[in-house]
Amino acid sequence: MEDIWHYPRTVLAEQLTRAIEYNVIHSFTLFAPRRLGKTYFLNYDLKPMLEGLGYNTIYFSFANQIGNSITAILILRPSLEVWSNWLSL
């Protein structure tokens, strides 16, 4: 994926990847105001690094889903099925 608006955050992605790989952390949360590149960072920097090491990644945004749990479940279901299948290998 190439996007002219992407600002690479390679160092941060490497730090998080190492922390996950060495079991220092197993999850994390990104907090920042809207439109500062959180989704770009996850999809363009961190996700490719983790998938390159064999990790399965799932990205889900709760934006526009608050109060709509059925929609959230329907959106998450394909990713959860993939994850479930991977766990049963």
Side-chain angles (χ1 to χ4, degrees), residues 2-75:
E2 188 166 332
D3 190 317
I4 62 169
W5 297 108
H6 176 236
Y7 175 79
R9 294 170 179 91
T10 309
V11 173
L12 179 58
E14 288 171 348
Q15 291 171 340
L16 281 169
T17 298
R18 279 194 300 273
I20 292 168
E21 187 176 16
Y22 297 125
N23 294 316
V24 175
I25 62 172
H26 65 276
S27 64
F28 62 93
T29 303
L30 295 176
F31 286 103
R34 294 187 64 212
R35 308 201 41 86
L36 288 180
K38 297 176 297 292
T39 300
Y40 269 82
F41 169 70
L42 292 173
N43 288 323
Y44 287 85
D45 295 319
L46 189 60
K47 183 178 177 180
M49 275 190 197
L50 290 172
E51 288 179 348
L53 293 172
Y55 287 93
N56 292 308
T57 61
I58 297 172
Y59 170 79
F60 178 77
S61 174
F62 285 98
N64 302 322
Q65 302 305 324
I66 296 174
N68 194 349
S69 58
I70 299 296
T71 302
I73 290 168
L74 292 174
I75 291 170

Side-chain angles (χ1 to χ4, degrees), residues 66-87:
I66 296 174
N68 194 349
S69 58
I70 299 296
T71 302
I73 290 168
L74 292 174
I75 291 170
L76 278 173
R77 185 176 179 179
S79 295
L80 294 175
E81 286 174 352
V82 168
W83 187 62
S84 175
N85 291 339
W86 177 80
L87 286 177

